[in-house]
């Protein structure tokens, strides 16, 4: 049976959601984050990088969210959750599937990093670290993040979903950046289309079932 190696509160929640949308049977092997929020070393027994999401299926071990989504849709989708080939929607689908991790998550990760740095710095260095972090956030990270959020808003003004007027696996992939932006990027300020997108995905029964099976999920909540 297909197995999802599921790290709590991680991107692997998207994989559970996709499987619920497709109605594919699967089992979950659970891993808990360490106190420093890193994945436990046991995940390295599944994949050398020891990161999540990872799935195993029919002798294949597949990592990376985009690769997993492509594999699951191709193997089990029967044409569902992906636009037809050689259409503008298919091109948009492919773009958003790769953009989510390739571009969107970079400023969000930097935002998290520079926000945490002062809290984790030694007490004597904290004022200096806070000054450097705030400067980086103000001049580099926040402007980039706003540019991305404005971009999402503009694209969602063109169609209800990222690849067009039909819900696809690209929307599942894009859920994590938007949820992270809601949690720590100020998405709710001036981005009603993006916020409406989050309301729509959170209302999907398959999303709710994935939350029940995956456990606590704090990003964007």
């Amino acid at each position: 049976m297909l197995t999802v190696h599921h790290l709590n509160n991680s991107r692997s929640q998207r994989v559970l959601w996709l499987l619920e949308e497709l109605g594919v049977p699967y089992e979950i092997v659970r891993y808990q984050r360490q106190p420093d929020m890193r994945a436990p070393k046991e995940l390295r027994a599944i994949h050398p990088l020891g990161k999540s999401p990872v799935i195993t299926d029919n002798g294949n071990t597949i990592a990376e969210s985009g690769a997993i989504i492509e594999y699951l849709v191709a193997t089990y989708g029967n044409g569902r959750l992906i636009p037809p080939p050689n259409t503008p929607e298919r091109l948009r689908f492919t773009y958003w599937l790769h953009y989510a991790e390739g571009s969107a998550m970079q400023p969000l990760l930097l935002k998290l990093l520079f926000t945490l740095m002062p809290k984790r710095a030694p007490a004597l260095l904290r004022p200096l670290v806070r000054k450097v972090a705030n400067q980086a956030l103000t001049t580099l990270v926040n402007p980039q993040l706003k540019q991305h959020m404005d971009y999402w808003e503009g694209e969602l003004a063109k169609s209800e979903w990222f690849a067009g007027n039909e819900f696809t696996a690209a929307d599942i992939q894009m859920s994590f950046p938007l949820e992270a932006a809601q949690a720590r990027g100020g998405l709710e300020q001036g981005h009603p289309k993006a916020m409406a997108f989050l309301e729509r995905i959170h209302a999907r029964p398959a999303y709710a079932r994935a939350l029940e099976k995956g456990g606590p999920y704090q990003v964007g909540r």
Side-chain angles (χ1 to χ4, degrees):
M1 178 179 286
L2 190 153
T3 300
V4 180
H5 297 272
H6 176 61
L7 179 67
N8 66 302
N9 197 32
S10 76
R11 290 165 169 84
S12 62
Q13 190 66 38
R14 288 183 297 197
V15 177
L16 302 182
W17 176 19
L18 174 58
L19 290 167
E20 290 294 330
E21 292 280 359
L22 293 174
V24 177
Y26 63 94
E27 63 179 6
I28 301 175
V29 177
R30 301 180 186 276
Y31 303 83
Q32 292 295 314
R33 292 184 181 275
Q34 301 177 96
D36 60 5
M37 295 304 292
R38 288 186 292 184
K41 62 182 181 180
E42 287 80 8
L43 262 174
R44 290 200 295 270
I46 308 302
H47 188 277
L49 294 181
K51 296 183 181 296
S52 182
V54 179
I55 67 169
T56 51
D57 186 41
N58 292 323
N60 300 307
T61 299
I62 306 165
E64 294 294 338
S65 299
I68 291 171
I69 288 175
E70 285 191 284
Y71 172 82
L72 292 175
V73 170
T75 305
Y76 298 104
N78 295 317
R80 293 172 294 165
L81 300 185
I82 185 170
N86 303 315
T87 61
E89 290 80 9
R90 182 62 165 267
L91 184 59
R92 290 181 68 183
F93 171 90
T94 302
Y95 170 76
W96 291 111
L97 198 65
H98 294 279
Y99 162 88
E101 293 293 337
S103 296
M105 285 306 299
Q106 293 181 21
L108 287 160
L109 289 172
L110 288 173
K111 176 88 171 181
L112 178 62
L113 174 65
F114 284 114
T115 301
L116 290 177
M117 279 175 57
K119 300 175 183 178
R120 299 188 176 182
L124 290 176
L125 296 177
R126 200 164 295 154
L128 176 60
V129 173
R130 182 178 293 110
K131 181 178 180 180
V132 172
N134 287 342
Q135 182 71 11
L137 287 169
T138 301
T139 62
L140 175 65
V141 178
N142 289 340
Q144 283 191 23
L145 183 52
K146 184 178 185 305
Q147 185 178 26
H148 281 276
M149 293 190 296
D150 291 347
Y151 177 44
W152 307 336
E153 186 71 12
E155 292 299 304
L156 289 170
K158 299 176 184 177
S159 59
E160 185 175 10
W161 303 103
F162 276 101
N165 292 320
E166 299 292 331
F167 174 80
T168 71
D171 298 297
I172 295 176
Q173 178 77 329
M174 281 297 297
S175 66
F176 197 89
L178 268 73
E179 288 181 324
Q182 181 190 23
R184 55 179 178 264
L187 184 67
E188 70 282 358
Q189 299 172 13
H191 303 97
K193 298 291 185 183
M195 293 299 294
F197 169 86
L198 289 178
E199 290 180 5
R200 289 196 299 276
I201 65 172
H202 293 161
R204 295 183 71 87
Y207 185 96
R209 292 196 302 272
L211 277 182
E212 291 176 5
K213 294 182 180 180
Y217 178 61
Q218 298 301 319
V219 177
R221 310 199 74 75

Short mmCIF file of all heavy atoms in Angstrom, two decimals, residues 13 17 21 161 167 171-172 174-180 182-183 187 194-211 217-221:
data_model
loop_
_atom_site.label_atom_id
_atom_site.label_comp_id
_atom_site.label_asym_id
_atom_site.label_seq_id
_atom_site.Cartn_x
_atom_site.Cartn_y
_atom_site.Cartn_z
N GLN A 13 1.33 17.53 4.89
CA GLN A 13 -0.12 17.66 5.01
C GLN A 13 -0.77 17.80 3.64
O GLN A 13 -1.88 17.32 3.40
CB GLN A 13 -0.46 18.87 5.90
CG GLN A 13 -1.93 18.96 6.28
CD GLN A 13 -2.37 17.82 7.17
OE1 GLN A 13 -1.63 17.38 8.04
NE2 GLN A 13 -3.58 17.32 6.95
N TRP A 17 -3.84 15.59 1.86
CA TRP A 17 -5.00 16.27 1.26
C TRP A 17 -5.21 15.79 -0.17
O TRP A 17 -6.33 15.45 -0.57
CB TRP A 17 -4.79 17.77 1.33
CG TRP A 17 -5.86 18.60 0.68
CD1 TRP A 17 -7.13 18.21 0.35
CD2 TRP A 17 -5.74 19.96 0.27
NE1 TRP A 17 -7.81 19.25 -0.24
CE2 TRP A 17 -6.98 20.32 -0.29
CE3 TRP A 17 -4.71 20.90 0.34
CZ2 TRP A 17 -7.22 21.62 -0.79
CZ3 TRP A 17 -4.94 22.18 -0.15
CH2 TRP A 17 -6.18 22.52 -0.71
N GLU A 21 -8.43 13.86 -1.77
CA GLU A 21 -9.16 14.35 -2.95
C GLU A 21 -9.29 13.25 -4.00
O GLU A 21 -10.32 13.12 -4.66
CB GLU A 21 -8.45 15.57 -3.55
CG GLU A 21 -8.47 16.83 -2.70
CD GLU A 21 -9.77 17.60 -2.78
OE1 GLU A 21 -10.69 17.18 -3.52
OE2 GLU A 21 -9.88 18.64 -2.09
N TRP A 161 -9.31 29.70 -9.40
CA TRP A 161 -8.20 28.86 -8.95
C TRP A 161 -6.94 29.24 -9.70
O TRP A 161 -6.99 29.93 -10.72
CB TRP A 161 -8.55 27.39 -9.14
CG TRP A 161 -9.81 26.97 -8.43
CD1 TRP A 161 -11.03 26.75 -8.98
CD2 TRP A 161 -9.97 26.77 -7.02
NE1 TRP A 161 -11.95 26.41 -8.01
CE2 TRP A 161 -11.32 26.41 -6.79
CE3 TRP A 161 -9.11 26.86 -5.92
CZ2 TRP A 161 -11.82 26.14 -5.53
CZ3 TRP A 161 -9.61 26.57 -4.66
CH2 TRP A 161 -10.95 26.23 -4.47
N PHE A 167 -10.60 23.60 -9.86
CA PHE A 167 -9.66 23.24 -8.79
C PHE A 167 -8.72 22.14 -9.29
O PHE A 167 -9.16 21.16 -9.90
CB PHE A 167 -10.44 22.74 -7.58
CG PHE A 167 -9.59 22.21 -6.46
CD1 PHE A 167 -8.96 23.07 -5.57
CD2 PHE A 167 -9.42 20.84 -6.29
CE1 PHE A 167 -8.19 22.58 -4.54
CE2 PHE A 167 -8.65 20.33 -5.26
CZ PHE A 167 -8.02 21.21 -4.38
N ASP A 171 -3.45 23.98 -6.85
CA ASP A 171 -4.00 24.72 -5.71
C ASP A 171 -3.60 24.07 -4.40
O ASP A 171 -3.37 24.77 -3.41
CB ASP A 171 -5.53 24.79 -5.83
CG ASP A 171 -5.97 25.52 -7.08
OD1 ASP A 171 -5.66 26.72 -7.20
OD2 ASP A 171 -6.61 24.89 -7.95
N ILE A 172 -3.51 22.76 -4.39
CA ILE A 172 -3.01 22.07 -3.20
C ILE A 172 -1.57 22.46 -2.93
O ILE A 172 -1.19 22.75 -1.80
CB ILE A 172 -3.16 20.54 -3.38
CG1 ILE A 172 -4.63 20.16 -3.46
CG2 ILE A 172 -2.45 19.79 -2.25
CD1 ILE A 172 -4.90 18.70 -3.74
N MET A 174 -0.07 25.21 -3.87
CA MET A 174 0.01 26.63 -3.50
C MET A 174 -0.59 26.92 -2.13
O MET A 174 -0.42 28.02 -1.61
CB MET A 174 -0.70 27.48 -4.56
CG MET A 174 0.12 27.72 -5.82
SD MET A 174 1.65 28.65 -5.50
CE MET A 174 0.98 30.22 -4.91
N SER A 175 -1.27 25.97 -1.54
CA SER A 175 -1.90 26.23 -0.25
C SER A 175 -0.89 26.58 0.82
O SER A 175 -1.14 27.46 1.67
CB SER A 175 -2.73 25.02 0.19
OG SER A 175 -1.91 23.89 0.46
N PHE A 176 0.26 25.91 0.82
CA PHE A 176 1.23 26.12 1.90
C PHE A 176 1.80 27.54 1.88
O PHE A 176 1.85 28.20 2.94
CB PHE A 176 2.34 25.08 1.81
CG PHE A 176 3.16 24.96 3.07
CD1 PHE A 176 2.78 24.08 4.09
CD2 PHE A 176 4.30 25.71 3.24
CE1 PHE A 176 3.53 23.99 5.26
CE2 PHE A 176 5.06 25.63 4.40
CZ PHE A 176 4.68 24.76 5.41
N PRO A 177 2.25 28.07 0.73
CA PRO A 177 2.71 29.46 0.74
C PRO A 177 1.65 30.45 1.22
O PRO A 177 1.96 31.37 1.98
CB PRO A 177 3.10 29.72 -0.72
CG PRO A 177 3.41 28.39 -1.28
CD PRO A 177 2.48 27.44 -0.58
N LEU A 178 0.41 30.26 0.78
CA LEU A 178 -0.62 31.21 1.20
C LEU A 178 -0.94 31.07 2.68
O LEU A 178 -1.17 32.07 3.36
CB LEU A 178 -1.88 31.03 0.35
CG LEU A 178 -1.94 31.92 -0.90
CD1 LEU A 178 -0.97 31.44 -1.96
CD2 LEU A 178 -3.34 32.03 -1.47
N GLU A 179 -0.96 29.85 3.19
CA GLU A 179 -1.19 29.68 4.62
C GLU A 179 -0.05 30.26 5.44
O GLU A 179 -0.27 30.87 6.49
CB GLU A 179 -1.39 28.20 4.94
CG GLU A 179 -2.72 27.66 4.45
CD GLU A 179 -2.93 26.20 4.78
OE1 GLU A 179 -1.95 25.42 4.75
OE2 GLU A 179 -4.07 25.83 5.07
N ALA A 180 1.18 30.09 4.97
CA ALA A 180 2.33 30.66 5.66
C ALA A 180 2.28 32.19 5.62
O ALA A 180 2.61 32.86 6.61
CB ALA A 180 3.63 30.15 5.05
N GLN A 182 -0.42 33.98 5.44
CA GLN A 182 -1.46 34.40 6.38
C GLN A 182 -0.94 34.37 7.81
O GLN A 182 -1.26 35.25 8.62
CB GLN A 182 -2.68 33.48 6.26
CG GLN A 182 -3.83 33.88 7.18
CD GLN A 182 -4.93 32.84 7.22
OE1 GLN A 182 -4.71 31.67 6.93
NE2 GLN A 182 -6.13 33.26 7.58
N ALA A 183 -0.11 33.37 8.12
CA ALA A 183 0.39 33.22 9.48
C ALA A 183 1.42 34.28 9.85
O ALA A 183 1.42 34.77 10.98
CB ALA A 183 1.00 31.83 9.65
N LEU A 187 -0.96 38.53 4.94
CA LEU A 187 -1.76 38.31 3.74
C LEU A 187 -3.15 38.93 3.85
O LEU A 187 -3.73 39.37 2.85
CB LEU A 187 -1.89 36.81 3.48
CG LEU A 187 -2.64 36.39 2.20
CD1 LEU A 187 -1.84 36.79 0.96
CD2 LEU A 187 -2.91 34.89 2.20
N ALA A 194 -6.92 36.35 -2.26
CA ALA A 194 -6.09 35.30 -1.67
C ALA A 194 -6.73 34.75 -0.40
O ALA A 194 -6.70 33.53 -0.16
CB ALA A 194 -4.69 35.83 -1.38
N MET A 195 -7.31 35.61 0.40
CA MET A 195 -7.97 35.15 1.61
C MET A 195 -9.20 34.32 1.27
O MET A 195 -9.50 33.33 1.95
CB MET A 195 -8.36 36.35 2.49
CG MET A 195 -7.16 37.11 3.07
SD MET A 195 -6.11 36.07 4.15
CE MET A 195 -7.25 35.76 5.50
N ALA A 196 -9.92 34.70 0.21
CA ALA A 196 -11.08 33.91 -0.22
C ALA A 196 -10.64 32.54 -0.71
O ALA A 196 -11.35 31.54 -0.51
CB ALA A 196 -11.84 34.66 -1.31
N PHE A 197 -9.46 32.48 -1.36
CA PHE A 197 -8.91 31.19 -1.79
C PHE A 197 -8.71 30.28 -0.57
O PHE A 197 -9.07 29.10 -0.60
CB PHE A 197 -7.59 31.41 -2.51
CG PHE A 197 -6.79 30.16 -2.77
CD1 PHE A 197 -7.01 29.40 -3.90
CD2 PHE A 197 -5.82 29.74 -1.88
CE1 PHE A 197 -6.28 28.24 -4.15
CE2 PHE A 197 -5.08 28.59 -2.10
CZ PHE A 197 -5.32 27.84 -3.24
N LEU A 198 -8.13 30.82 0.50
CA LEU A 198 -7.92 30.02 1.70
C LEU A 198 -9.24 29.56 2.30
O LEU A 198 -9.36 28.41 2.77
CB LEU A 198 -7.12 30.83 2.73
CG LEU A 198 -5.65 31.08 2.40
CD1 LEU A 198 -5.00 31.93 3.49
CD2 LEU A 198 -4.90 29.77 2.24
N GLU A 199 -10.23 30.41 2.29
CA GLU A 199 -11.54 30.00 2.81
C GLU A 199 -12.11 28.85 1.99
O GLU A 199 -12.69 27.91 2.54
CB GLU A 199 -12.50 31.20 2.79
CG GLU A 199 -12.17 32.28 3.81
CD GLU A 199 -13.14 33.44 3.76
OE1 GLU A 199 -14.13 33.35 2.98
OE2 GLU A 199 -12.92 34.44 4.46
N ARG A 200 -11.93 28.91 0.67
CA ARG A 200 -12.47 27.85 -0.19
C ARG A 200 -11.78 26.52 0.05
O ARG A 200 -12.42 25.47 0.13
CB ARG A 200 -12.35 28.24 -1.67
CG ARG A 200 -13.27 29.35 -2.11
CD ARG A 200 -13.39 29.43 -3.62
NE ARG A 200 -12.11 29.71 -4.28
CZ ARG A 200 -11.60 30.91 -4.46
NH1 ARG A 200 -12.25 31.98 -3.99
NH2 ARG A 200 -10.45 31.08 -5.10
N ILE A 201 -10.45 26.54 0.18
CA ILE A 201 -9.76 25.26 0.36
C ILE A 201 -10.03 24.69 1.74
O ILE A 201 -10.16 23.48 1.91
CB ILE A 201 -8.24 25.37 0.09
CG1 ILE A 201 -7.54 26.27 1.11
CG2 ILE A 201 -7.97 25.84 -1.34
CD1 ILE A 201 -6.02 26.24 1.00
N HIS A 202 -10.13 25.54 2.74
CA HIS A 202 -10.39 25.06 4.10
C HIS A 202 -11.80 24.48 4.23
O HIS A 202 -12.05 23.68 5.15
CB HIS A 202 -10.20 26.19 5.11
CG HIS A 202 -8.77 26.64 5.22
ND1 HIS A 202 -8.42 27.85 5.77
CD2 HIS A 202 -7.62 26.04 4.83
CE1 HIS A 202 -7.09 27.98 5.73
NE2 HIS A 202 -6.59 26.89 5.17
N ALA A 203 -12.69 24.86 3.33
CA ALA A 203 -14.06 24.34 3.37
C ALA A 203 -14.21 23.01 2.63
O ALA A 203 -15.28 22.39 2.69
CB ALA A 203 -15.01 25.37 2.77
N ARG A 204 -13.17 22.56 1.93
CA ARG A 204 -13.28 21.32 1.17
C ARG A 204 -13.28 20.11 2.12
O ARG A 204 -12.43 20.03 3.03
CB ARG A 204 -12.13 21.20 0.16
CG ARG A 204 -12.16 22.26 -0.93
CD ARG A 204 -11.05 22.05 -1.95
NE ARG A 204 -11.31 20.87 -2.78
CZ ARG A 204 -12.02 20.88 -3.90
NH1 ARG A 204 -12.60 22.01 -4.31
NH2 ARG A 204 -12.20 19.77 -4.60
N PRO A 205 -14.20 19.19 1.94
CA PRO A 205 -14.26 18.01 2.81
C PRO A 205 -12.94 17.22 2.84
O PRO A 205 -12.55 16.72 3.91
CB PRO A 205 -15.40 17.18 2.21
CG PRO A 205 -16.28 18.18 1.53
CD PRO A 205 -15.35 19.22 0.99
N ALA A 206 -12.27 17.10 1.71
CA ALA A 206 -11.01 16.35 1.68
C ALA A 206 -9.94 17.03 2.51
O ALA A 206 -9.10 16.36 3.12
CB ALA A 206 -10.53 16.17 0.23
N TYR A 207 -9.95 18.36 2.54
CA TYR A 207 -9.00 19.11 3.38
C TYR A 207 -9.25 18.78 4.85
O TYR A 207 -8.31 18.53 5.62
CB TYR A 207 -9.15 20.60 3.12
CG TYR A 207 -8.14 21.48 3.85
CD1 TYR A 207 -6.99 21.90 3.21
CD2 TYR A 207 -8.35 21.88 5.17
CE1 TYR A 207 -6.06 22.71 3.87
CE2 TYR A 207 -7.43 22.68 5.83
CZ TYR A 207 -6.30 23.09 5.18
OH TYR A 207 -5.38 23.88 5.83
N ALA A 208 -10.53 18.76 5.24
CA ALA A 208 -10.87 18.46 6.63
C ALA A 208 -10.49 17.02 6.99
O ALA A 208 -9.98 16.76 8.09
CB ALA A 208 -12.36 18.69 6.85
N ARG A 209 -10.73 16.08 6.07
CA ARG A 209 -10.36 14.69 6.35
C ARG A 209 -8.86 14.54 6.52
O ARG A 209 -8.38 13.79 7.38
CB ARG A 209 -10.85 13.78 5.23
CG ARG A 209 -12.36 13.64 5.15
CD ARG A 209 -12.76 12.45 4.28
NE ARG A 209 -12.25 12.53 2.93
CZ ARG A 209 -12.88 13.13 1.92
NH1 ARG A 209 -14.05 13.73 2.13
NH2 ARG A 209 -12.35 13.14 0.72
N ALA A 210 -8.09 15.25 5.70
CA ALA A 210 -6.63 15.19 5.80
C ALA A 210 -6.15 15.74 7.14
O ALA A 210 -5.21 15.22 7.74
CB ALA A 210 -5.99 15.95 4.64
N LEU A 211 -6.79 16.80 7.63
CA LEU A 211 -6.44 17.36 8.93
C LEU A 211 -6.72 16.35 10.05
O LEU A 211 -5.93 16.21 10.98
CB LEU A 211 -7.22 18.64 9.19
CG LEU A 211 -6.69 19.94 8.59
CD1 LEU A 211 -7.59 21.10 9.01
CD2 LEU A 211 -5.26 20.21 9.01
N TYR A 217 -1.99 20.97 12.89
CA TYR A 217 -1.35 21.66 11.76
C TYR A 217 -1.46 23.15 12.02
O TYR A 217 -2.56 23.71 11.97
CB TYR A 217 -2.06 21.25 10.47
CG TYR A 217 -1.56 21.90 9.20
CD1 TYR A 217 -0.25 21.72 8.77
CD2 TYR A 217 -2.40 22.66 8.42
CE1 TYR A 217 0.20 22.29 7.60
CE2 TYR A 217 -1.97 23.25 7.24
CZ TYR A 217 -0.66 23.04 6.83
OH TYR A 217 -0.22 23.62 5.66
N GLN A 218 -0.34 23.79 12.33
CA GLN A 218 -0.40 25.16 12.83
C GLN A 218 -0.14 26.23 11.79
O GLN A 218 -0.43 27.39 12.04
CB GLN A 218 0.63 25.31 13.96
CG GLN A 218 0.37 24.40 15.16
CD GLN A 218 -1.00 24.63 15.79
OE1 GLN A 218 -1.44 25.78 15.94
NE2 GLN A 218 -1.68 23.56 16.14
N VAL A 219 0.42 25.87 10.65
CA VAL A 219 0.76 26.90 9.65
C VAL A 219 -0.53 27.55 9.17
O VAL A 219 -1.43 26.90 8.65
CB VAL A 219 1.52 26.29 8.45
CG1 VAL A 219 1.77 27.36 7.39
CG2 VAL A 219 2.83 25.72 8.92
N GLY A 220 -0.61 28.87 9.34
CA GLY A 220 -1.74 29.60 8.86
C GLY A 220 -3.00 29.46 9.69
O GLY A 220 -4.06 29.93 9.29
N ARG A 221 -2.90 28.84 10.86
CA ARG A 221 -4.11 28.61 11.64
C ARG A 221 -4.01 29.33 13.00
O ARG A 221 -2.97 29.53 13.51
CB ARG A 221 -4.32 27.13 11.86
CG ARG A 221 -4.23 26.33 10.56
CD ARG A 221 -4.88 25.00 10.69
NE ARG A 221 -6.32 25.11 10.70
CZ ARG A 221 -7.06 25.37 9.61
NH1 ARG A 221 -6.48 25.57 8.45
NH2 ARG A 221 -8.36 25.45 9.69
#
